[in-house]
């Protein structure tokens, strides 16, 4: 089953094995609900973990897993990715997208401009990072003002042609 990255272990917290996670999901209460199964990617292996407790503290999530009870058990996971399986996704309205759906889509204005290789969350909103052939990467705000259409079926994003955008 396909795994989807939803965060990165940033650090530990306290002595009881709590992990601080920099989360990439908008659905924190759903993803980190008690009893949910997640996976820590460590040394080329997915380690299955079960959420025991979760709380948001400023810009990170503090998550306790049933499998860990002490800081010595979790310190090695700093910098590791936190994943869920694709079957844990829920349906979104037609005008909303999961980041992994956007990655790999071709970006067009009047011609092919490049391919989305990353989506960044910034205070201003989401930005598509577009890899362009023989040029530097471009950042395109993922807002209706800049995006004409997202064609999920053909995996294409059409943007408004604007001076200075690309």
């Amino acid at each position: 089953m396909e795994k989807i990255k939803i965060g990165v272990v940033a650090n530990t917290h306290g002595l009881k094995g709590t992990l601080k996670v920099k989360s990439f999901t908008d659905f924190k209460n759903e993803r980190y609900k008690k009893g949910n199964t997640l996976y820590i990617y460590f040394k080329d292996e997915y380690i299955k973990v079960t959420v025991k407790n979760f709380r948001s503290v400023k810009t990170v999530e503090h998550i306790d897993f049933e499998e860990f009870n002490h800081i010595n058990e979790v310190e090695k996971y700093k910098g590791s990715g936190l994943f869920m399986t694709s079957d844990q996704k829920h349906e979104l309205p037609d005008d909303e997208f999961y980041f992994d759906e956007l990655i790999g889509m071709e970006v067009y204005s009047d011609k092919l401009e490049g391919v989305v290789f990353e989506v960044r969350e910034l205070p201003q909103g989401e930005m598509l990072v577009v890899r362009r052939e023989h040029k530097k990467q471009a950042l395109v705000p993922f807002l209706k003002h800049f995006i004409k259409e997202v064609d999920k079926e053909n995996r294409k994003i059409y943007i408004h042609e604007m001076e200075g955008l690309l």
Side-chain angles (χ1 to χ4, degrees):
M1 179 145 316
E2 181 187 0
K3 304 275 194 294
I4 299 166
K5 192 172 193 176
I6 60 170
V8 173
V9 177
N11 209 339
T12 59
H13 177 76
L15 298 174
K16 295 183 180 180
T18 302
L19 291 175
K20 287 183 178 181
V21 173
K22 174 66 178 148
S23 188
F24 305 147
T25 180
D26 286 337
F27 310 104
K28 295 172 185 171
N29 290 330
E30 186 175 315
R31 299 288 175 247
Y32 308 128
K33 189 175 4 176
K34 183 177 180 168
N36 276 7
T37 299
L38 299 175
Y39 299 86
I40 297 173
Y41 189 70
F42 180 70
K43 291 189 176 179
D44 298 326
E45 181 182 345
Y46 288 100
I47 298 158
K48 188 175 178 179
V49 291
T50 308
V51 177
K52 180 167 55 174
N53 187 30
F54 136 79
R55 65 192 177 283
S56 287
V57 180
K58 296 184 182 177
T59 61
V60 295
E61 315 320 315
H62 289 205
I63 305 174
D64 297 306
F65 295 103
E66 291 180 7
E67 292 78 6
F68 310 120
N69 297 308
H70 195 272
I71 189 171
N72 292 340
E73 298 172 306
V74 296
E75 274 193 321
K76 62 185 174 190
Y77 297 125
K78 290 180 189 177
S80 298
L82 186 63
F83 291 78
M84 68 177 204
T85 55
S86 57
D87 67 340
Q88 292 174 296
K89 282 184 176 180
H90 62 279
E91 289 296 315
L92 294 176
D94 286 339
D95 62 340
E96 293 183 22
F97 307 91
Y98 285 105
F99 289 176
D100 66 301
E101 291 177 314
L102 299 171
I103 294 172
M105 286 189 172
E106 294 178 333
V107 177
Y108 289 86
S109 57
D110 59 339
K111 64 184 186 328
L112 177 63
E113 297 290 349
V115 176
V116 176
F117 78 96
E118 184 182 354
V119 180
R120 294 185 187 161
E121 274 191 288
L122 301 174
Q124 310 83 311
E126 288 83 18
M127 298 287 267
L128 303 177
V129 183
V130 179
R131 184 170 283 148
R132 305 178 72 203
E133 197 170 316
H134 307 298
K135 295 181 185 175
K136 290 186 176 184
Q137 66 188 24
L139 295 176
V140 178
F142 194 64
L143 300 168
K144 289 180 182 180
H145 183 73
F146 300 97
I147 306 294
K148 279 186 199 175
E149 177 189 358
V150 177
D151 182 350
K152 279 186 184 182
E153 192 173 310
N154 296 309
R155 301 203 34 79
K156 295 180 181 180
I157 298 173
Y158 298 94
I159 61 173
H160 293 286
E161 197 168 337
M162 301 173 123
E163 188 174 333
L165 183 58
L166 293 173

